[in-house]
Amino acid sequence: MSKPNVLVIGAGGVGVIAALALQLNGNSNVTLVVRSEHELIKNQGYSIESKCYGEYENFKPDNIAKSVDEAMDNYGPFDFIALTTKNIPDGSMTCEDIVRPAVTDGKTTIILIQNGIGIDEPMIESFPNNVILSGVSLIGSTNLGNGRVYNSHFDTLTIGYFNNPNISNSVSMSKVNEFISLYQNKDLSKNLAKLDENVKHTRWQKLIYNSALNTVTTIVDLDVNRCQINNSNKSLFEPAMSEIIKIAKSEGVTLDESVKSKFMHIGDGLFYTPSMLIDRRKKQLFELEVILGNPIKYADRNGVDAPTLKILYSLLTMIQFKIKEEIGLVKINESDFKNIDSNDYPSHFAKISHK
Amino acid sequence: MSKPNVLVIGAGGVGVIAALALQLNGNSNVTLVVRSEHELIKNQGYSIESKCYGEYENFKPDNIAKSVDEAMDNYGPFDFIALTTKNIPDGSMTCEDIVRPAVTDGKTTIILIQNGIGIDEPMIESFPNNVILSGVSLIGSTNLGNGRVYNSHFDTLTIGYFNNPNISNSVSMSKVNEFISLYQNKDLSKNLAKLDENVKHTRWQKLIYNSALNTVTTIVDLDVNRCQINNSNKSLFEPAMSEIIKIAKSEGVTLDESVKSKFMHIGDGLFYTPSMLIDRRKKQLFELEVILGNPIKYADRNGVDAPTLKILYSLLTMIQFKIKEEIGLVKINESDFKNIDSNDYPSHFAKISHK
């Protein structure tokens, strides 16, 4: 039996290490999409310093493609797509559009190694006959640029399946087990690919952290501990976390209240900067909709109060807008708003943006 | 009878024009404290372009002092102090400490030409035998630096008295009328100094604007209209304004709900930047406590819910902290927080800051 074809999309810190893990195991043909440093990587490969996998010069997976289209043309069809990009439906491209060229209907399993809640819904809607898996990655890994990747922590990947009404759970589960077998190294000191028996619980639990610490630090542009010096544990982190727990409950997911305290103290003394704030500082779009937008939609649908999250979301929408304007993704002509009632600005803007 | 001595403290756009207005009338001896460009102004005076007062080269009031202490030594005692600085009790100096060297107990009337609520309380506590007046200024005026001041709008100054339990209202009112007579020009096209018959109402009403538009735009670093494109009228401005109206009500001040709409639409199409955001962009401290901190104290005291204002306040506290750190007003040694529970950071920081 020939080896399955795996396509890794997203050549950030997580994606490159995923390609490395798969390649080292040798159980799949690995294709990595590399857009921004394509020539460099095609020629020299990556220089990787990894705490768990070791050091590599000139690492290249089996195949390197410049785009998803090219990957499909030259190295497809694919049994698995591991999507490790950020999930930003309000950005220049949805995740569905990103993977679409490489998806074979009824065949390709798509693993979303991404943060957030509700990311499965548009994916299942777009690809109703494909298995969609959830990957939650715990790994400190950064693409430093110039082909250099630094991975500071052990690589734990928790994998389970999203419920898809069109596909039986046993089929989905077999894909989970197959991908674990592709990812798990025989040497257990290298990584841990483990089964996620309750994807919803895992993802909502991680959201407790992301929805509070990522969001507040991003709004005020201060690291976690400086926020805490200004009383954020009590004034913002705890209320935001409690609202997520209530929304999760309304979605049938019971989270342990003690997790709030764990996450609030996880970086005591470390003065560290969450990823969303790092994105903001780099003028990159951040994962607002899957971290806050979707949970708020569920809150509204289920009649759960979420006043803190809603205010944080409104403010972050504006900060994201500012980044979009700075990078040229939206453009404001001030004269377009003459003689328009400011209550109607949102709908007016939507109208003129779609011209 | 000799002319009264008036000291103007704060040589910003409002302060310099106040000194000009008083000087043009000629009914008082005017002393202006000029700190940062003292030598330049002492030598050349101000170059003023004013829509209502006209153009002046080399304008100097009767006296220019380098500090409040020097003003008192050389040109005091003072019948009136007009304080036009920002009111930032969490900054390097309280307003009480700023005026103190020039206040003669029982004699000097202090006019607070400043934004915010609750600014009278610490002033009356510090100077219980002095009349404290409220000045609300409507004037577009900016000190552009290098001795240049640009005043784009008509100068309206609304003057009334704060209730002081130690001083009869008739004494306070006589001081209001006296200051109006010093400030009001005979030529009514120049300015309007008018009686404020209900200081609390005037100040709370202005707060409806300041507490919502100044605060939100400052947090997200976007002008008013860009916020409105992102739905801020509905998501943040209106809720914040409604909370101020409820707090005012609990303080015995009834505000007209229609003012919300007026303020939300006051700058439709203008894409303008409120003063608090201008301060933030210049890395200057902004008037957080008198705009949000004090109203929230009243809300808590009177049992009024103010969830929106409290979150905006918490976030702005952190942004103000960031500015304080940037300008060296606070200093964080990260190692001071090792092995401290992050819940205790605020009290720990207070303790080590006061060493």
Side-chain angles (χ1 to χ4, degrees):
Chain A
M1 204 178 90
S2 68
K3 292 181 188 176
N5 288 332
V6 180
L7 176 65
V8 179
I9 303 178
V14 173
V16 173
I17 297 294
L20 175 66
L22 291 161
Q23 189 72 45
L24 287 176
N25 287 344
N27 298 326
S28 56
N29 295 308
V30 183
T31 302
L32 176 65
V33 177
V34 181
R35 274 195 314 174
S36 57
E37 297 191 312
H38 183 75
E39 282 308 306
L40 178 76
I41 304 306
K42 191 93 181 173
N43 293 331
Q44 303 178 21
Y46 287 99
S47 167
I48 298 177
E49 185 185 339
S50 165
K51 199 162 177 175
C52 46
Y53 296 104
E55 300 196 4
Y56 299 85
E57 290 299 324
N58 312 114
F59 164 73
K60 294 182 202 176
D62 296 310
N63 311 306
I64 289 175
K66 194 171 168 55
S67 67
V68 177
D69 281 291
E70 194 220 303
M72 187 64 168
D73 289 347
N74 295 342
Y75 312 112
F78 294 102
D79 300 283
F80 291 92
I81 296 174
L83 183 64
T84 67
T85 61
K86 281 184 284 178
N87 192 317
I88 306 177
D90 59 316
S92 55
M93 211 169 174
T94 64
C95 286
E96 295 71 60
D97 287 343
I98 290 170
V99 300
R100 182 168 285 114
V103 176
T104 305
D105 184 41
K107 170 186 169 71
T108 311
T109 294
I110 304 165
I111 305 119
L112 306 178
I113 305 180
Q114 299 181 312
N115 284 318
I117 282 291
I119 62 176
D120 50 321
E121 294 177 14
M123 200 56 78
I124 290 171
E125 195 176 313
S126 292
F127 309 107
N129 305 312
N130 292 67
V131 175
I132 315 291
L133 304 186
S134 163
V136 172
S137 173
L138 262 181
I139 182 176
S141 184
T142 311
N143 186 330
L144 302 166
N146 291 316
R148 291 166 56 238
V149 174
Y150 176 64
N151 162 212
S152 59
H153 285 71
F154 186 73
D155 179 15
T156 303
L157 185 61
T158 307
I159 303 162
Y161 62 84
F162 292 110
N163 284 312
N164 180 339
N166 312 301
I167 293 174
S168 78
N169 291 348
S170 64
V171 167
S172 293
M173 184 56 102
S174 72
K175 294 297 179 185
V176 171
N177 288 325
E178 188 180 349
F179 192 77
I180 287 177
S181 74
L182 301 182
Y183 201 92
Q184 178 62 58
N185 202 286
K186 279 176 197 142
D187 177 354
L188 294 178
S189 74
K190 285 208 174 0
N191 68 10
L192 176 62
K194 66 175 182 181
L195 171 66
D196 188 346
E197 300 196 55
N198 192 336
V199 163
K200 283 182 85 174
H201 189 276
T202 304
R203 300 192 77 87
W204 277 102
Q205 179 148 312
K206 196 169 179 193
L207 198 67
I208 293 179
Y209 175 91
N210 283 328
S211 68
L213 276 70
N214 268 290
T215 56
V216 170
T217 56
T218 299
I219 292 171
V220 301
D221 191 14
L222 277 184
D223 62 47
V224 172
N225 297 120
R226 280 176 168 77
C227 290
Q228 290 171 322
I229 289 170
N230 289 286
N231 203 36
S232 63
N233 276 1
K234 194 173 160 206
S235 66
L236 293 167
F237 292 163
E238 199 281 331
M241 289 177 171
S242 293
E243 291 173 18
I244 288 291
I245 290 176
K246 276 192 285 181
I247 302 169
K249 181 100 185 163
S250 77
E251 288 283 302
V253 177
T254 303
L255 300 169
D256 192 333
E257 293 277 336
S258 70
V259 176
K260 293 189 288 188
S261 177
K262 179 187 135 196
F263 283 144
M264 268 188 274
H265 292 87
I266 209 166
D268 278 13
L270 296 181
F271 289 84
Y272 69 108
T273 304
S275 60
M276 188 184 272
L277 175 52
I278 293 173
D279 289 336
R280 179 192 167 164
R281 286 181 177 167
K282 289 182 180 171
K283 293 192 195 298
Q284 291 174 353
L285 298 185
F286 43 79
E287 298 181 299
L288 177 57
E289 293 306 322
V290 301
I291 299 293
L292 278 183
N294 288 341
I296 287 171
K297 272 182 212 155
Y298 299 152
D300 286 342
R301 186 170 74 188
N302 302 338
V304 177
D305 272 350
T308 310
L309 298 178
K310 283 184 176 178
I311 293 175
L312 299 179
Y313 176 69
S314 292
L315 294 167
L316 283 167
T317 303
M318 299 181 209
I319 293 169
Q320 180 97 307
F321 175 89
K322 186 166 147 58
I323 296 173
K324 287 179 185 174
E325 202 177 356
E326 285 167 346
I327 65 177
L329 208 60
V330 301
K331 175 141 181 59
I332 296 294
N333 291 310
E334 298 185 358
S335 58
D336 288 341
F337 294 84
K338 261 197 178 156
N339 302 319
I340 307 286
D341 182 312
S342 58
N343 289 343
D344 299 330
Y345 279 9
S347 58
H348 182 68
F349 177 64
K351 202 174 67 188
I352 59 179
S353 301
H354 286 103
K355 264 185 194 163
Chain B
M1 206 177 91
S2 68
K3 292 180 186 177
N5 286 332
V6 180
L7 176 65
V8 179
I9 303 177
V14 173
V16 173
I17 297 294
L20 175 66
L22 291 161
Q23 189 73 47
L24 287 176
N25 287 345
N27 297 326
S28 56
N29 294 308
V30 184
T31 302
L32 177 65
V33 177
V34 181
R35 274 195 314 174
S36 58
E37 297 191 309
H38 183 75
E39 281 309 305
L40 178 76
I41 305 305
K42 190 93 181 174
N43 293 331
Q44 302 177 21
Y46 287 100
S47 167
I48 298 178
E49 185 187 339
S50 166
K51 200 164 177 175
C52 46
Y53 295 105
E55 300 195 4
Y56 298 85
E57 290 297 327
N58 312 115
F59 165 72
K60 295 181 201 176
D62 296 311
N63 311 306
I64 290 175
K66 193 170 171 53
S67 67
V68 176
D69 280 291
E70 194 220 302
M72 187 64 168
D73 288 347
N74 293 344
Y75 312 112
F78 295 101
D79 300 283
F80 291 93
I81 296 174
L83 183 64
T84 67
T85 62
K86 280 184 286 179
N87 192 318
I88 305 178
D90 60 316
S92 56
M93 211 169 173
T94 65
C95 286
E96 296 71 60
D97 286 343
I98 290 170
V99 300
R100 183 168 285 113
V103 177
T104 305
D105 184 41
K107 169 185 168 75
T108 311
T109 294
I110 304 165
I111 305 119
L112 305 178
I113 305 180
Q114 299 180 313
N115 284 317
I117 282 290
I119 62 176
D120 49 320
E121 293 178 17
M123 200 56 79
I124 289 171
E125 197 176 311
S126 292
F127 309 107
N129 305 313
N130 292 68
V131 175
I132 314 291
L133 303 186
S134 163
V136 172
S137 172
L138 261 182
I139 182 177
S141 182
T142 311
N143 185 331
L144 303 167
N146 292 316
R148 291 166 54 237
V149 174
Y150 176 63
N151 162 213
S152 59
H153 284 71
F154 186 72
D155 179 14
T156 304
L157 186 60
T158 307
I159 304 162
Y161 62 85
F162 291 111
N163 285 312
N164 181 339
N166 313 302
I167 291 173
S168 77
N169 291 349
S170 64
V171 168
S172 292
M173 185 55 101
S174 73
K175 294 296 180 187
V176 171
N177 287 326
E178 189 179 349
F179 192 76
I180 287 177
S181 75
L182 301 182
Y183 201 90
Q184 178 61 57
N185 202 285
K186 275 176 200 143
D187 177 354
L188 295 178
S189 75
K190 285 208 173 5
N191 68 8
L192 176 62
K194 67 175 180 181
L195 172 65
D196 188 345
E197 300 195 55
N198 193 335
V199 163
K200 283 182 86 174
H201 189 278
T202 304
R203 299 193 78 87
W204 277 102
Q205 178 147 314
K206 195 170 180 193
L207 197 68
I208 293 179
Y209 176 91
N210 283 329
S211 68
L213 277 71
N214 268 290
T215 56
V216 170
T217 56
T218 299
I219 291 170
V220 301
D221 192 15
L222 279 183
D223 63 46
V224 172
N225 297 120
R226 281 176 165 77
C227 290
Q228 290 171 322
I229 288 171
N230 288 286
N231 202 36
S232 64
N233 275 2
K234 195 175 159 206
S235 67
L236 293 167
F237 292 162
E238 199 280 332
M241 288 176 172
S242 293
E243 290 174 18
I244 288 291
I245 290 176
K246 276 192 285 181
I247 301 169
K249 181 100 183 162
S250 77
E251 288 282 304
V253 176
T254 303
L255 300 169
D256 192 334
E257 294 277 335
S258 70
V259 175
K260 292 189 289 188
S261 177
K262 179 186 133 196
F263 283 144
M264 268 189 272
H265 292 86
I266 208 166
D268 278 13
L270 296 181
F271 288 84
Y272 69 107
T273 304
S275 59
M276 188 185 270
L277 175 52
I278 293 173
D279 288 336
R280 179 190 167 168
R281 287 180 175 167
K282 290 183 181 172
K283 292 190 195 300
Q284 291 175 353
L285 298 185
F286 43 79
E287 296 181 302
L288 177 57
E289 293 305 322
V290 302
I291 299 293
L292 279 182
N294 288 341
I296 287 171
K297 272 183 212 156
Y298 299 151
D300 286 342
R301 186 171 72 189
N302 302 339
V304 177
D305 272 351
T308 310
L309 298 178
K310 283 183 177 179
I311 292 174
L312 299 179
Y313 176 70
S314 291
L315 294 167
L316 283 167
T317 303
M318 298 181 210
I319 293 169
Q320 180 97 305
F321 175 88
K322 187 164 146 55
I323 296 173
K324 287 179 185 174
E325 203 178 355
E326 285 167 347
I327 64 177
L329 208 59
V330 302
K331 176 144 181 53
I332 297 292
N333 291 310
E334 298 185 358
S335 59
D336 288 341
F337 293 85
K338 262 196 177 157
N339 303 318
I340 307 286
D341 182 312
S342 59
N343 290 342
D344 299 329
Y345 280 8
S347 58
H348 182 68
F349 177 65
K351 202 173 67 188
I352 59 179
S353 301
H354 286 104
K355 260 183 194 162

